Amino acid sequence: MPAAQVTCPHCETPVEIQVTAVTRSRPCPKCGQSIMLQFAGRTSRVKHKALLMAPTPPTDSIPFKAEVSHEASNFPGDAFERMCLDPELIRTRRQFMVGAVCVVALVIGLAVMHFTSPRSQPEETSADVAESPASASVMAKTEAAVQSQPRPVASAVPAPAGPSHAASPSSPMRITFRSATDTTPRPADESQGALESFLKAPTVDEKLALVHDAVRVEPAMRAYYQKHQVGALSYSHVERHPQSLRSDFAEFRVVLTDGTRKFAAVMTTPEGPRVDWASFVALGDLEWEQMRQTRPTKPVLMRVLAFAGDHFSGSFSDARTLSCVRFVPAENPTAAPVYGYVPTTSDLGRQIATWLSSSGSDPLPLTVKLSYPEKAVSHDQAWIAEVVVPGWVTLVSPPTTGEGE
């Protein structure tokens, strides 16, 4: 029998089955389902094969799918009424009402507390007291009792004299008493007034009466003014320094007529404000140029302006272990400098480095002790033996023959 290639309608697999000239069904070699075959012949003897399938349902039996309309449709009712019925809006409105009620209740409560709280009675004025003879009598007795009591006045205790004792803000305090009957009038700017009186004083004796610790500084003052001009100092005005690091004196800047600013400190004493003369003239154990020429090997006290330095040579050439500081005299910053050296890892070296870092590009005022090495050949290289105090105000006894600017 002839064989024909067909595709099984059940398993959709191409198979080869035996066919004849008549319509027959043949089982699928793959799935075993029956495959119906029909052959139609023509006079041309060309055979056509027809695959008989189960009849499909008519198209009319498929349910019709309704088309979706994209036209706008109107909701029933008014838009505002629908919004009022929105649950979220109802919840928000309820929260708002609760908050408003709380605020109103709080305001009412504060108002009630304000008007119902007891008020302090107004103090009696001097006119009311004067109208009552009894009150005047009581006040007079009270004032007399108060005036009879001494009032404490704090004053700083001077540090022991000597080169190793420096003034400290934490110095111990002692209490002295001044009678309240001392009614000497003192202006609000008495410190500045004392400084201006010192600047205008024409003689050493008048200046000496206005300086702090006059007994100790008198020999140094008289020696100083034998080499320097004495008399009233010509200045433009005096400025109070707003940031003083100490509480026992007030800092000022005296602006001279040539624009130069000069440091001044006015000490607080039981006798009243007094000018610190040693810091005003930048007094040192030696004059600056005298120190450079004599190169003392023993420490000498000098008031200086300090800057970070980088001068390493000769006996001080080891930049790895030494720190360099450039010093100029406080009274003449344009003078030739002296470079001071200190071991970098020492406590003094670390402290100086901290101060220089904090001052930035501004000069750092210091009171230091410098000493030259044995057989020194350079005028501008010395050891930093000690920093007496940051700044120029100390309670150290000044040298009796020292010179300043």
Side-chain angles (χ1 to χ4, degrees), residues 278-344:
S279 63
F280 181 74
V281 299
L283 190 70
D285 288 348
L286 299 173
E287 290 188 349
W288 189 256
E289 192 58 32
Q290 181 184 2
M291 181 192 68
R292 285 171 51 87
Q293 297 301 326
T294 58
R295 288 167 286 183
T297 56
K298 293 184 178 180
V300 291
L301 183 143
M302 305 297 292
R303 288 176 167 88
V304 298
L305 292 172
F307 304 84
D310 58 355
H311 181 70
F312 296 95
S313 64
S315 302
F316 303 94
S317 59
D318 191 356
R320 295 175 299 175
T321 60
L322 295 178
S323 295
C324 176
V325 183
R326 182 169 65 91
F327 294 127
V328 294
E331 73 279 4
N332 184 17
T334 61
V338 170
Y339 295 94
Y341 300 88
V342 64
T344 304

Side-chain angles (χ1 to χ4, degrees), residues 178-363:
R178 183 178 61 201
S179 174
T181 57
D182 182 9
T183 58
T184 304
R186 294 189 177 179
D189 55 347
E190 57 180 355
S191 296
Q192 183 171 340
L195 175 59
E196 292 182 353
S197 299
F198 170 82
L199 297 174
K200 297 174 183 178
T203 64
V204 176
D205 292 334
E206 291 179 332
K207 290 182 181 295
L208 192 61
L210 297 169
V211 301
H212 173 59
D213 207 356
V215 175
R216 289 195 297 133
V217 301
E218 181 177 1
M221 278 189 69
R222 296 192 181 280
Y224 175 85
Y225 285 115
Q226 287 178 358
K227 296 183 179 182
H228 299 81
Q229 182 180 1
V230 64
L233 184 63
S234 178
Y235 67 96
S236 172
H237 60 279
V238 176
E239 298 176 352
R240 179 183 290 270
H241 196 268
Q243 298 178 347
S244 176
L245 300 179
R246 298 271 295 273
S247 60
D248 53 349
F249 68 84
E251 291 187 21
F252 295 91
R253 299 296 183 269
V254 180
V255 182
L256 305 181
T257 53
D258 60 356
T260 304
R261 294 177 178 269
K262 194 173 182 63
F263 172 85
V266 179
M267 310 295 294
T268 302
T269 69
E271 297 78 18
R274 294 291 186 267
V275 177
D276 184 65
W277 175 79
S279 63
F280 181 74
V281 299
L283 190 70
D285 288 348
L286 299 173
E287 290 188 349
W288 189 256
E289 192 58 32
Q290 181 184 2
M291 181 192 68
R292 285 171 51 87
Q293 297 301 326
T294 58
R295 288 167 286 183
T297 56
K298 293 184 178 180
V300 291
L301 183 143
M302 305 297 292
R303 288 176 167 88
V304 298
L305 292 172
F307 304 84
D310 58 355
H311 181 70
F312 296 95
S313 64
S315 302
F316 303 94
S317 59
D318 191 356
R320 295 175 299 175
T321 60
L322 295 178
S323 295
C324 176
V325 183
R326 182 169 65 91
F327 294 127
V328 294
E331 73 279 4
N332 184 17
T334 61
V338 170
Y339 295 94
Y341 300 88
V342 64
T344 304
T345 57
S346 65
D347 294 339
L348 181 59
R350 288 192 292 265
Q351 183 64 72
I352 294 177
T354 301
W355 287 335
L356 290 174
S357 176
S358 301
S359 64
S361 59
D362 297 330

